Amino acid sequence: MLTCLLISSVGLAQSLAGVTLPDAATVGGQTVTLNGLGLREKYFLDIYVGGLYLLHPTHVADAAIAADEPKRVVMHFTYKSVSKSQMLDTFKEGFGSAATGPHAASISKMAAWVPEGGVKAGDQLSFDYAPGAGTAMVLNGRVLGTIAGAEFMKLVFGIYLGPKPPTPELKAGMLGA
């Protein structure tokens, strides 16, 4: 019986492109479950493995975005390095027209948290949302800053799960589709 439990719990962790993410994480003091993994590729290069953690797993993007409950998007970088400039270009692309709308100041604040040296292979950058606290940008376990509000969370999670994700394959993988 114990062997069956150990095998089943080990089987819950998921791997993709040589990256294994744990089956659960803690966000806002609550346990969230790995919903799925997707690979972000650009110009035929693997950039990062993205993982989506939800309190209530779902395959429905709108439900994942709208849920006002603890959740996380994590990017485990596999590419040798992504510069601050490249990260900021990606933010600009992801946030789109929102970068000049009512969330412009929050987006600028978040962009300022990107480390001068960018990120490198093995780094994990996540966006952790906890109701009442907001969306935290976390690099390798260190909180870089937090932006309050559920509307900003929906904007951030919409980058990955909305109608224009970095790639359709990344979105589908994160949704476990």
Side-chain angles (χ1 to χ4, degrees), residues 1-173:
M1 178 73 167
L2 180 60
T3 304
C4 290
L5 288 173
L6 290 174
I7 290 172
S8 66
S9 68
V10 171
L12 294 176
Q14 296 181 34
S15 296
L16 181 63
V19 173
T20 301
L21 292 180
D23 61 324
T26 302
V27 176
Q30 292 190 282
T31 300
V32 290
T33 304
L34 183 60
N35 195 74
L37 298 175
L39 182 62
R40 170 62 163 122
E41 294 178 301
K42 191 167 186 170
Y43 307 120
F44 305 104
L45 299 171
D46 294 352
I47 307 299
Y48 62 81
V49 171
L52 175 63
Y53 288 83
L54 300 171
L55 188 61
H56 297 99
T58 183
H59 301 296
V60 180
D62 290 342
I65 294 168
D68 190 11
E69 57 192 30
K71 55 187 156 187
R72 168 182 288 170
V73 166
V74 63
M75 295 166 282
H76 182 102
F77 286 86
T78 57
Y79 190 67
K80 60 184 173 185
S81 69
V82 180
S83 70
K84 179 172 183 160
S85 172
Q86 290 168 318
M87 293 286 294
L88 294 177
D89 287 347
T90 300
F91 274 17
K92 184 177 177 182
E93 181 182 319
F95 283 116
S97 62
T100 57
H103 296 291
S106 295
I107 293 168
S108 292
K109 185 184 288 188
M110 186 172 273
W113 298 332
V114 175
E116 285 303 319
V119 294
K120 62 187 179 319
D123 283 345
Q124 282 195 0
L125 180 67
S126 69
F127 296 105
D128 292 4
Y129 174 73
T135 304
M137 186 170 156
V138 181
L139 179 62
N140 298 326
R142 186 173 66 94
V143 176
L144 303 175
T146 303
I147 308 251
E151 289 306 310
F152 189 75
M153 169 273 294
K154 291 174 186 175
L155 185 65
V156 171
F157 280 75
I159 291 172
Y160 303 93
L161 305 174
K164 295 181 180 178
T167 66
E169 297 81 11
L170 175 66
K171 176 181 174 178

